[in-house]
Amino acid sequence: MRAAAWSHTDKMDIDRPANVSFFDFVGGVQLLQGEDTRTVMPVLLIGICISGALCNLLVLLIFIRDFRDGRGSEVKALLASLASTDLVILLLCAPVRAVTYYRQTWTLGNFACRTTDWFQHSCIVAKTLILAATTKAKHNLIPRTAASGPLYNPTWIHGALAFIWIVSMMFPIPQLLFASLLPRGSDFVCVSEMPACASDFMSLFYKIYPTVTFVAPVIFTIAYYTKTLYTAVNHAPSPRHQSKVVLVLLCLSGALGLMLLPEWGTFTWIRLGYNKPPVGLLMFAQFLLYACSSLSPVILMIMYDDVRQGLVAIWFIATCRGRKRAPAMKSPQTEGNGAEVGANAVGNDVSQMKEAKFPDVEHFWTGRRNTHVEDEQDPVPWEKEEKML
């Protein structure tokens, strides 16, 4: 991709105010020229948004159906929260970047400029912490009995999700405070300006922030599920089922860690005051961020047995409900299928034949039964006459 006219590194360094120690774009790279950048990135982002949103909606429908039918669990509750977070990222955050790449300047107003990076980082941090919270959830999906107790305990799940979202919205507050809308000719750009007086504190903060919200939770989650998978395969009483659930969560954690690493790396690298990475790397990091939200439901659909069975059930309901409810051919007096109608008709005919009386035939056989034929009387006299002749 060609980033002509204004280079992301040189031009913004020249425009940086004297009392600002940090200066960078917010809401996507702006001031890029070239039709390839203007068309390819929005098309890619819109495609990811549509496909990822549909997949996450399907996963949410499956989990809602399981909870309604009494097959809920703590893992499913957290995975449903993860799918909801991915859905919010794809529907609210990715379109902002698509519009920014297409317009090449900021056209969404001051409120969106101040909140877009803060809101996106809140969702990213929440995703990482939700996956870390699954390590405490129950993974064994055994049938619910009175002795075993419920598999789904909403008290600690609700408390954990509330704590996760509070922490997730507090850590990115500097993105909210330092974002501002600046005029540039007849257009505007959305940038982040960090005052020089806050540079020392923010330098320490930008070392702690990614470590606490990304590096430590991802390493802990991957290490936990790697150990749990090894234990489930070698020592668990039902290793096949347990290892499948753990493998799904391990793949989700690994995919999240790998696909968000470029975004977190460029974010921290820029804010620690080092030379800014190439524009292509920044755009690639943003692309992987949204692709991660589209890949998570695909992993669940392929590897998670309950989600896969739910997909089959939803497909069966969508395709066969009309046939099941189609009215059957029935006679005015009976209901059922054609075989029942035919059987009823034959039965009615037989009963009518049994009930029917034939008086002439009955009188004939009655008369014949009571008739006494004498030995001397010939019942067929014409045969004798033929013999005599």
Side-chain angles (χ1 to χ4, degrees), residues 123-160:
C123 295
I124 295 172
V125 173
K127 283 182 59 175
T128 307
L129 297 181
I130 287 172
L131 273 177
T134 58
T135 59
K136 188 183 181 299
K138 295 179 180 178
H139 304 144
N140 302 333
L141 305 181
I142 13 182
R144 181 183 300 179
T145 60
S148 63
L151 290 175
Y152 175 54
N153 183 10
T155 304
W156 87 264
I157 292 290
H158 295 164

Side-chain angles (χ1 to χ4, degrees), residues 94-276:
V96 173
R97 267 65 179 179
V99 172
T100 301
Y101 282 117
Y102 179 75
R103 300 303 298 267
Q104 301 177 348
T105 56
W106 189 261
T107 58
L108 300 176
N110 186 46
F111 178 78
C113 174
R114 289 186 173 274
T115 57
T116 178
D117 267 23
W118 167 78
F119 183 73
Q120 178 169 285
H121 265 257
S122 298
C123 295
I124 295 172
V125 173
K127 283 182 59 175
T128 307
L129 297 181
I130 287 172
L131 273 177
T134 58
T135 59
K136 188 183 181 299
K138 295 179 180 178
H139 304 144
N140 302 333
L141 305 181
I142 13 182
R144 181 183 300 179
T145 60
S148 63
L151 290 175
Y152 175 54
N153 183 10
T155 304
W156 87 264
I157 292 290
H158 295 164
L161 290 176
F163 175 77
I164 285 172
W165 277 103
I166 290 173
V167 171
S168 302
M169 289 187 291
M170 288 179 61
F171 266 104
I173 284 179
Q175 279 93 292
L176 181 67
L177 298 177
F178 297 149
S180 60
L181 195 63
L182 295 182
R184 189 178 183 89
S186 59
D187 298 320
F188 291 91
V189 290
C190 185
V191 297
S192 179
E193 297 178 303
M194 185 171 65
C197 60
S199 60
D200 294 337
F201 172 78
M202 294 309 301
S203 177
L204 177 62
F205 174 79
Y206 284 126
K207 292 176 183 176
I208 298 175
Y209 171 45
T211 304
V212 173
T213 59
F214 175 71
V215 178
V218 167
I219 292 177
F220 167 75
T221 306
I222 293 177
Y224 175 85
Y225 284 124
T226 302
K227 180 181 178 181
T228 306
L229 182 63
Y230 175 80
T231 305
V233 171
N234 293 280
H235 305 289
S238 56
R240 184 175 180 182
H241 178 72
Q242 294 183 24
S243 60
K244 279 186 177 181
V245 178
V246 174
L247 183 61
V248 171
L249 297 172
L250 177 61
C251 290
L252 283 175
S253 305
L256 182 139
L258 290 176
M259 299 185 77
L260 294 186
L261 182 60
E263 172 67 19
W264 279 106
T266 55
F267 173 85
T268 307
W269 187 265
I270 292 172
R271 279 154 181 78
L272 290 180
Y274 299 102
N275 292 331
K276 294 177 181 176

Side-chain angles (χ1 to χ4, degrees), residues 35-154:
E35 290 300 321
D36 50 356
T37 303
R38 185 176 183 180
T39 56
V40 173
M41 281 299 293
V43 169
L44 288 176
L45 293 179
I46 291 173
I48 290 175
C49 287
I50 295 175
S51 59
L54 290 176
C55 292
N56 281 290
L57 278 174
L58 279 176
V59 170
L60 281 176
L61 287 176
I62 291 169
F63 285 141
I64 291 172
R65 181 174 174 270
D66 287 348
F67 278 100
R68 184 191 62 187
D69 295 342
R71 297 194 304 269
S73 67
E74 295 174 356
V75 169
K76 289 183 180 181
L78 293 174
L79 291 179
S81 302
L82 183 67
S84 303
T85 307
D86 285 329
L87 187 62
V88 169
I89 291 175
L90 293 171
L91 294 181
L92 298 181
C93 300
V96 173
R97 267 65 179 179
V99 172
T100 301
Y101 282 117
Y102 179 75
R103 300 303 298 267
Q104 301 177 348
T105 56
W106 189 261
T107 58
L108 300 176
N110 186 46
F111 178 78
C113 174
R114 289 186 173 274
T115 57
T116 178
D117 267 23
W118 167 78
F119 183 73
Q120 178 169 285
H121 265 257
S122 298
C123 295
I124 295 172
V125 173
K127 283 182 59 175
T128 307
L129 297 181
I130 287 172
L131 273 177
T134 58
T135 59
K136 188 183 181 299
K138 295 179 180 178
H139 304 144
N140 302 333
L141 305 181
I142 13 182
R144 181 183 300 179
T145 60
S148 63
L151 290 175
Y152 175 54
N153 183 10

